[in-house]
Amino acid sequence: QLQFVESGGGSVHPGGSLRLSCTASGDTWNYYSIGWFRQAPGTEREGVSCINTNGIVTDLLDSVKDRFTISRDDVKRTVYLQMDNLKPEDSARYFCAARIGNRCQPTYGFGSWGQGTHVTVTV
């Protein structure tokens, strides 16, 4: 079982950038695909992006796929989400989670959720 700690959130103006980090402990890192998810108040949680055990990326959200980039550092046991050209609708709490194996879908297979890091994009 992995344990995650997310960091890197904050408050930015539209058009700004943030780099989120998700650092893991507690289990063998390369058994898992890692996904980023987000949830705004009063909305359903949605998948953002995922990277599998081979470093292959699955885009989960069309509205951010040209602006957000996921990457994986197996030495640091960390997955990053580089977010550029942020928009107010990107404001949410961002979570990372793990799925056993090299598939990023179905997304209901993810577990070991972190506590999240909050992103606010305000005018």
Side-chain angles (χ1 to χ4, degrees), residues 47-82:
V48 176
S49 189
C50 178
I51 188 164
N52 76 0
T53 55
N54 301 124
I56 305 300
V57 172
T58 298
D59 297 317
L60 301 176
L61 189 61
D62 286 343
S63 63
V64 305
K65 65 180 182 181
D66 294 327
R67 299 183 291 115
F68 294 5
T69 304
I70 193 171
S71 61
R72 177 174 185 149
D73 186 328
D74 290 330
V75 174
K76 297 181 178 179
R77 296 168 58 91
T78 299
V79 170
Y80 304 97
L81 186 67
Q82 177 67 43

mmCIF file of all heavy atoms in Angstrom, residues 47-82:
data_model
loop_
_atom_site.group_PDB
_atom_site.id
_atom_site.type_symbol
_atom_site.label_atom_id
_atom_site.label_comp_id
_atom_site.label_asym_id
_atom_site.label_seq_id
_atom_site.Cartn_x
_atom_site.Cartn_y
_atom_site.Cartn_z
ATOM 1 N N GLY A 47 -10.927 12.822 -13.093
ATOM 2 C CA GLY A 47 -9.552 12.497 -13.401
ATOM 3 C C GLY A 47 -8.921 13.568 -14.268
ATOM 4 O O GLY A 47 -9.571 14.123 -15.158
ATOM 5 N N VAL A 48 -7.665 13.848 -14.038
ATOM 6 C CA VAL A 48 -6.925 14.870 -14.772
ATOM 7 C C VAL A 48 -5.933 14.230 -15.733
ATOM 8 O O VAL A 48 -5.979 14.457 -16.939
ATOM 9 C CB VAL A 48 -6.210 15.829 -13.807
ATOM 10 C CG1 VAL A 48 -5.366 16.837 -14.583
ATOM 11 C CG2 VAL A 48 -7.216 16.538 -12.908
ATOM 12 N N SER A 49 -5.031 13.432 -15.196
ATOM 13 C CA SER A 49 -4.015 12.793 -16.012
ATOM 14 C C SER A 49 -3.440 11.619 -15.238
ATOM 15 O O SER A 49 -3.522 11.579 -14.009
ATOM 16 C CB SER A 49 -2.906 13.790 -16.379
ATOM 17 O OG SER A 49 -2.009 13.238 -17.333
ATOM 18 N N CYS A 50 -2.849 10.687 -15.955
ATOM 19 C CA CYS A 50 -2.297 9.487 -15.332
ATOM 20 C C CYS A 50 -1.037 9.068 -16.066
ATOM 21 O O CYS A 50 -0.931 9.251 -17.286
ATOM 22 C CB CYS A 50 -3.336 8.363 -15.356
ATOM 23 S SG CYS A 50 -2.762 6.785 -14.675
ATOM 24 N N ILE A 51 -0.110 8.510 -15.322
ATOM 25 C CA ILE A 51 1.105 7.964 -15.917
ATOM 26 C C ILE A 51 1.279 6.544 -15.401
ATOM 27 O O ILE A 51 1.181 6.283 -14.201
ATOM 28 C CB ILE A 51 2.324 8.865 -15.609
ATOM 29 C CG1 ILE A 51 3.547 8.395 -16.391
ATOM 30 C CG2 ILE A 51 2.599 8.957 -14.122
ATOM 31 C CD1 ILE A 51 4.660 9.455 -16.431
ATOM 32 N N ASN A 52 1.514 5.601 -16.312
ATOM 33 C CA ASN A 52 1.559 4.208 -15.909
ATOM 34 C C ASN A 52 2.971 3.775 -15.529
ATOM 35 O O ASN A 52 3.907 4.571 -15.472
ATOM 36 C CB ASN A 52 0.937 3.314 -16.992
ATOM 37 C CG ASN A 52 1.833 3.091 -18.202
ATOM 38 O OD1 ASN A 52 2.950 3.592 -18.293
ATOM 39 N ND2 ASN A 52 1.324 2.310 -19.157
ATOM 40 N N THR A 53 3.120 2.469 -15.252
ATOM 41 C CA THR A 53 4.397 1.952 -14.769
ATOM 42 C C THR A 53 5.517 2.050 -15.793
ATOM 43 O O THR A 53 6.689 1.959 -15.431
ATOM 44 C CB THR A 53 4.242 0.494 -14.334
ATOM 45 O OG1 THR A 53 3.697 -0.281 -15.405
ATOM 46 C CG2 THR A 53 3.322 0.392 -13.123
ATOM 47 N N ASN A 54 5.167 2.209 -17.068
ATOM 48 C CA ASN A 54 6.157 2.354 -18.129
ATOM 49 C C ASN A 54 6.374 3.799 -18.549
ATOM 50 O O ASN A 54 7.078 4.064 -19.522
ATOM 51 C CB ASN A 54 5.748 1.535 -19.346
ATOM 52 C CG ASN A 54 5.603 0.064 -19.049
ATOM 53 O OD1 ASN A 54 4.551 -0.524 -19.285
ATOM 54 N ND2 ASN A 54 6.649 -0.542 -18.515
ATOM 55 N N GLY A 55 5.754 4.735 -17.844
ATOM 56 C CA GLY A 55 5.890 6.138 -18.180
ATOM 57 C C GLY A 55 4.972 6.611 -19.285
ATOM 58 O O GLY A 55 5.167 7.714 -19.813
ATOM 59 N N ILE A 56 3.975 5.807 -19.656
ATOM 60 C CA ILE A 56 3.029 6.187 -20.692
ATOM 61 C C ILE A 56 1.905 7.003 -20.072
ATOM 62 O O ILE A 56 1.316 6.610 -19.067
ATOM 63 C CB ILE A 56 2.447 4.958 -21.407
ATOM 64 C CG1 ILE A 56 3.582 4.089 -21.967
ATOM 65 C CG2 ILE A 56 1.486 5.379 -22.512
ATOM 66 C CD1 ILE A 56 4.472 4.794 -22.955
ATOM 67 N N VAL A 57 1.589 8.124 -20.700
ATOM 68 C CA VAL A 57 0.612 9.066 -20.172
ATOM 69 C C VAL A 57 -0.758 8.817 -20.778
ATOM 70 O O VAL A 57 -0.886 8.579 -21.988
ATOM 71 C CB VAL A 57 1.054 10.513 -20.444
ATOM 72 C CG1 VAL A 57 -0.048 11.498 -20.070
ATOM 73 C CG2 VAL A 57 2.331 10.824 -19.682
ATOM 74 N N THR A 58 -1.781 8.876 -19.941
ATOM 75 C CA THR A 58 -3.168 8.858 -20.376
ATOM 76 C C THR A 58 -3.809 10.168 -19.966
ATOM 77 O O THR A 58 -3.871 10.487 -18.775
ATOM 78 C CB THR A 58 -3.940 7.686 -19.756
ATOM 79 O OG1 THR A 58 -3.364 6.451 -20.177
ATOM 80 C CG2 THR A 58 -5.400 7.726 -20.194
ATOM 81 N N ASP A 59 -4.278 10.932 -20.941
ATOM 82 C CA ASP A 59 -5.006 12.161 -20.661
ATOM 83 C C ASP A 59 -6.428 11.806 -20.268
ATOM 84 O O ASP A 59 -7.112 11.071 -20.982
ATOM 85 C CB ASP A 59 -5.017 13.082 -21.874
ATOM 86 C CG ASP A 59 -3.633 13.534 -22.278
ATOM 87 O OD1 ASP A 59 -2.839 13.884 -21.385
ATOM 88 O OD2 ASP A 59 -3.343 13.548 -23.499
ATOM 89 N N LEU A 60 -6.883 12.336 -19.153
ATOM 90 C CA LEU A 60 -8.198 12.013 -18.634
ATOM 91 C C LEU A 60 -9.188 13.171 -18.744
ATOM 92 O O LEU A 60 -10.377 12.967 -18.519
ATOM 93 C CB LEU A 60 -8.102 11.584 -17.173
ATOM 94 C CG LEU A 60 -7.218 10.360 -16.893
ATOM 95 C CD1 LEU A 60 -7.124 10.112 -15.396
ATOM 96 C CD2 LEU A 60 -7.761 9.129 -17.607
ATOM 97 N N LEU A 61 -8.704 14.363 -19.093
ATOM 98 C CA LEU A 61 -9.554 15.545 -19.103
ATOM 99 C C LEU A 61 -9.169 16.430 -20.278
ATOM 100 O O LEU A 61 -8.095 17.034 -20.292
ATOM 101 C CB LEU A 61 -9.406 16.295 -17.776
ATOM 102 C CG LEU A 61 -10.362 17.439 -17.490
ATOM 103 C CD1 LEU A 61 -11.800 16.938 -17.454
ATOM 104 C CD2 LEU A 61 -10.000 18.098 -16.166
ATOM 105 N N ASP A 62 -10.062 16.527 -21.261
ATOM 106 C CA ASP A 62 -9.749 17.249 -22.490
ATOM 107 C C ASP A 62 -9.462 18.732 -22.252
ATOM 108 O O ASP A 62 -8.643 19.328 -22.960
ATOM 109 C CB ASP A 62 -10.899 17.117 -23.489
ATOM 110 C CG ASP A 62 -10.978 15.747 -24.130
ATOM 111 O OD1 ASP A 62 -9.982 14.993 -24.065
ATOM 112 O OD2 ASP A 62 -12.036 15.429 -24.706
ATOM 113 N N SER A 63 -10.115 19.326 -21.263
ATOM 114 C CA SER A 63 -9.982 20.756 -21.043
ATOM 115 C C SER A 63 -8.610 21.169 -20.519
ATOM 116 O O SER A 63 -8.276 22.354 -20.542
ATOM 117 C CB SER A 63 -11.070 21.251 -20.084
ATOM 118 O OG SER A 63 -10.946 20.646 -18.812
ATOM 119 N N VAL A 64 -7.801 20.214 -20.067
ATOM 120 C CA VAL A 64 -6.486 20.558 -19.524
ATOM 121 C C VAL A 64 -5.336 19.872 -20.241
ATOM 122 O O VAL A 64 -4.174 20.167 -19.954
ATOM 123 C CB VAL A 64 -6.393 20.242 -18.016
ATOM 124 C CG1 VAL A 64 -7.516 20.933 -17.256
ATOM 125 C CG2 VAL A 64 -6.405 18.735 -17.764
ATOM 126 N N LYS A 65 -5.619 18.980 -21.173
ATOM 127 C CA LYS A 65 -4.557 18.146 -21.732
ATOM 128 C C LYS A 65 -3.501 18.940 -22.501
ATOM 129 O O LYS A 65 -2.360 18.472 -22.634
ATOM 130 C CB LYS A 65 -5.139 17.044 -22.615
ATOM 131 C CG LYS A 65 -5.840 17.533 -23.866
ATOM 132 C CD LYS A 65 -6.391 16.351 -24.666
ATOM 133 C CE LYS A 65 -7.066 16.796 -25.943
ATOM 134 N NZ LYS A 65 -7.609 15.639 -26.708
ATOM 135 N N ASP A 66 -3.845 20.116 -22.995
ATOM 136 C CA ASP A 66 -2.883 20.956 -23.699
ATOM 137 C C ASP A 66 -2.159 21.919 -22.770
ATOM 138 O O ASP A 66 -1.256 22.639 -23.213
ATOM 139 C CB ASP A 66 -3.576 21.756 -24.806
ATOM 140 C CG ASP A 66 -4.117 20.881 -25.920
ATOM 141 O OD1 ASP A 66 -3.496 19.836 -26.203
ATOM 142 O OD2 ASP A 66 -5.146 21.234 -26.510
ATOM 143 N N ARG A 67 -2.539 21.935 -21.495
ATOM 144 C CA ARG A 67 -1.959 22.874 -20.549
ATOM 145 C C ARG A 67 -1.261 22.199 -19.382
ATOM 146 O O ARG A 67 -0.391 22.789 -18.752
ATOM 147 C CB ARG A 67 -3.049 23.807 -20.009
ATOM 148 C CG ARG A 67 -3.723 24.639 -21.094
ATOM 149 C CD ARG A 67 -4.757 25.607 -20.503
ATOM 150 N NE ARG A 67 -5.915 24.896 -19.961
ATOM 151 C CZ ARG A 67 -6.248 24.873 -18.676
ATOM 152 N NH1 ARG A 67 -5.509 25.531 -17.779
ATOM 153 N NH2 ARG A 67 -7.331 24.217 -18.278
ATOM 154 N N PHE A 68 -1.649 20.972 -19.057
ATOM 155 C CA PHE A 68 -1.079 20.236 -17.924
ATOM 156 C C PHE A 68 -0.212 19.103 -18.439
ATOM 157 O O PHE A 68 -0.553 18.438 -19.429
ATOM 158 C CB PHE A 68 -2.178 19.646 -17.042
ATOM 159 C CG PHE A 68 -3.035 20.645 -16.312
ATOM 160 C CD1 PHE A 68 -2.900 22.016 -16.508
ATOM 161 C CD2 PHE A 68 -3.988 20.194 -15.414
ATOM 162 C CE1 PHE A 68 -3.700 22.922 -15.836
ATOM 163 C CE2 PHE A 68 -4.795 21.097 -14.729
ATOM 164 C CZ PHE A 68 -4.653 22.455 -14.938
ATOM 165 N N THR A 69 0.889 18.844 -17.743
ATOM 166 C CA THR A 69 1.796 17.777 -18.115
ATOM 167 C C THR A 69 2.167 16.956 -16.888
ATOM 168 O O THR A 69 2.650 17.506 -15.901
ATOM 169 C CB THR A 69 3.077 18.326 -18.761
ATOM 170 O OG1 THR A 69 2.740 19.133 -19.891
ATOM 171 C CG2 THR A 69 3.975 17.187 -19.219
ATOM 172 N N ILE A 70 1.952 15.651 -16.969
ATOM 173 C CA ILE A 70 2.314 14.760 -15.880
ATOM 174 C C ILE A 70 3.670 14.131 -16.181
ATOM 175 O O ILE A 70 4.003 13.861 -17.340
ATOM 176 C CB ILE A 70 1.228 13.682 -15.669
ATOM 177 C CG1 ILE A 70 1.432 12.933 -14.349
ATOM 178 C CG2 ILE A 70 1.182 12.713 -16.838
ATOM 179 C CD1 ILE A 70 0.259 12.017 -13.989
ATOM 180 N N SER A 71 4.456 13.894 -15.146
ATOM 181 C CA SER A 71 5.739 13.224 -15.292
ATOM 182 C C SER A 71 6.029 12.408 -14.043
ATOM 183 O O SER A 71 5.389 12.591 -12.997
ATOM 184 C CB SER A 71 6.867 14.220 -15.573
ATOM 185 O OG SER A 71 7.007 15.146 -14.512
ATOM 186 N N ARG A 72 7.004 11.517 -14.154
ATOM 187 C CA ARG A 72 7.269 10.554 -13.087
ATOM 188 C C ARG A 72 8.772 10.420 -12.880
ATOM 189 O O ARG A 72 9.528 10.226 -13.830
ATOM 190 C CB ARG A 72 6.644 9.206 -13.471
ATOM 191 C CG ARG A 72 6.868 8.064 -12.519
ATOM 192 C CD ARG A 72 6.063 6.862 -12.981
ATOM 193 N NE ARG A 72 6.156 5.755 -12.040
ATOM 194 C CZ ARG A 72 5.216 4.865 -11.818
ATOM 195 N NH1 ARG A 72 4.069 4.937 -12.486
ATOM 196 N NH2 ARG A 72 5.399 3.886 -10.944
ATOM 197 N N ASP A 73 9.196 10.509 -11.626
ATOM 198 C CA ASP A 73 10.590 10.338 -11.247
ATOM 199 C C ASP A 73 10.654 9.134 -10.316
ATOM 200 O O ASP A 73 10.257 9.218 -9.151
ATOM 201 C CB ASP A 73 11.134 11.598 -10.566
ATOM 202 C CG ASP A 73 12.626 11.520 -10.293
ATOM 203 O OD1 ASP A 73 13.144 10.424 -10.036
ATOM 204 O OD2 ASP A 73 13.285 12.581 -10.342
ATOM 205 N N ASP A 74 11.142 8.004 -10.826
ATOM 206 C CA ASP A 74 11.133 6.777 -10.049
ATOM 207 C C ASP A 74 12.197 6.757 -8.958
ATOM 208 O O ASP A 74 12.077 6.004 -7.992
ATOM 209 C CB ASP A 74 11.317 5.573 -10.974
ATOM 210 C CG ASP A 74 10.113 5.319 -11.853
ATOM 211 O OD1 ASP A 74 8.987 5.642 -11.425
ATOM 212 O OD2 ASP A 74 10.286 4.796 -12.973
ATOM 213 N N VAL A 75 13.248 7.565 -9.100
ATOM 214 C CA VAL A 75 14.261 7.645 -8.063
ATOM 215 C C VAL A 75 13.721 8.402 -6.862
ATOM 216 O O VAL A 75 13.881 7.985 -5.712
ATOM 217 C CB VAL A 75 15.544 8.310 -8.595
ATOM 218 C CG1 VAL A 75 16.545 8.517 -7.465
ATOM 219 C CG2 VAL A 75 16.154 7.455 -9.694
ATOM 220 N N LYS A 76 13.072 9.528 -7.118
ATOM 221 C CA LYS A 76 12.487 10.325 -6.050
ATOM 222 C C LYS A 76 11.126 9.811 -5.599
ATOM 223 O O LYS A 76 10.580 10.326 -4.618
ATOM 224 C CB LYS A 76 12.361 11.783 -6.498
ATOM 225 C CG LYS A 76 13.688 12.456 -6.781
ATOM 226 C CD LYS A 76 13.484 13.906 -7.187
ATOM 227 C CE LYS A 76 14.804 14.596 -7.436
ATOM 228 N NZ LYS A 76 14.618 16.011 -7.854
ATOM 229 N N ARG A 77 10.587 8.816 -6.289
ATOM 230 C CA ARG A 77 9.265 8.269 -5.985
ATOM 231 C C ARG A 77 8.228 9.382 -5.969
ATOM 232 O O ARG A 77 7.419 9.491 -5.038
ATOM 233 C CB ARG A 77 9.285 7.502 -4.670
ATOM 234 C CG ARG A 77 10.181 6.267 -4.703
ATOM 235 C CD ARG A 77 10.417 5.684 -3.314
ATOM 236 N NE ARG A 77 9.195 5.306 -2.636
ATOM 237 C CZ ARG A 77 8.631 4.105 -2.692
ATOM 238 N NH1 ARG A 77 9.179 3.145 -3.423
ATOM 239 N NH2 ARG A 77 7.516 3.862 -2.014
ATOM 240 N N THR A 78 8.254 10.191 -7.004
ATOM 241 C CA THR A 78 7.412 11.369 -7.080
ATOM 242 C C THR A 78 6.801 11.497 -8.467
ATOM 243 O O THR A 78 7.471 11.258 -9.471
ATOM 244 C CB THR A 78 8.221 12.635 -6.760
ATOM 245 O OG1 THR A 78 8.734 12.552 -5.419
ATOM 246 C CG2 THR A 78 7.363 13.882 -6.879
ATOM 247 N N VAL A 79 5.538 11.878 -8.503
ATOM 248 C CA VAL A 79 4.845 12.229 -9.734
ATOM 249 C C VAL A 79 4.516 13.713 -9.681
ATOM 250 O O VAL A 79 4.056 14.217 -8.655
ATOM 251 C CB VAL A 79 3.574 11.385 -9.934
ATOM 252 C CG1 VAL A 79 2.746 11.924 -11.096
ATOM 253 C CG2 VAL A 79 3.950 9.933 -10.192
ATOM 254 N N TYR A 80 4.751 14.397 -10.790
ATOM 255 C CA TYR A 80 4.527 15.827 -10.876
ATOM 256 C C TYR A 80 3.368 16.126 -11.814
ATOM 257 O O TYR A 80 3.071 15.369 -12.737
ATOM 258 C CB TYR A 80 5.770 16.540 -11.400
ATOM 259 C CG TYR A 80 7.018 16.289 -10.590
ATOM 260 C CD1 TYR A 80 7.932 15.315 -10.965
ATOM 261 C CD2 TYR A 80 7.282 17.040 -9.448
ATOM 262 C CE1 TYR A 80 9.073 15.081 -10.223
ATOM 263 C CE2 TYR A 80 8.423 16.813 -8.700
ATOM 264 C CZ TYR A 80 9.316 15.836 -9.092
ATOM 265 O OH TYR A 80 10.455 15.613 -8.351
ATOM 266 N N LEU A 81 2.733 17.258 -11.573
ATOM 267 C CA LEU A 81 1.757 17.804 -12.499
ATOM 268 C C LEU A 81 2.119 19.261 -12.747
ATOM 269 O O LEU A 81 1.915 20.109 -11.875
ATOM 270 C CB LEU A 81 0.331 17.683 -11.960
ATOM 271 C CG LEU A 81 -0.774 18.100 -12.933
ATOM 272 C CD1 LEU A 81 -0.842 17.124 -14.112
ATOM 273 C CD2 LEU A 81 -2.130 18.171 -12.233
ATOM 274 N N GLN A 82 2.687 19.517 -13.909
ATOM 275 C CA GLN A 82 3.002 20.879 -14.311
ATOM 276 C C GLN A 82 1.754 21.495 -14.927
ATOM 277 O O GLN A 82 1.231 20.984 -15.921
ATOM 278 C CB GLN A 82 4.150 20.891 -15.322
ATOM 279 C CG GLN A 82 4.509 22.266 -15.864
ATOM 280 C CD GLN A 82 5.090 23.177 -14.813
ATOM 281 O OE1 GLN A 82 5.920 22.759 -14.015
ATOM 282 N NE2 GLN A 82 4.657 24.429 -14.803
#
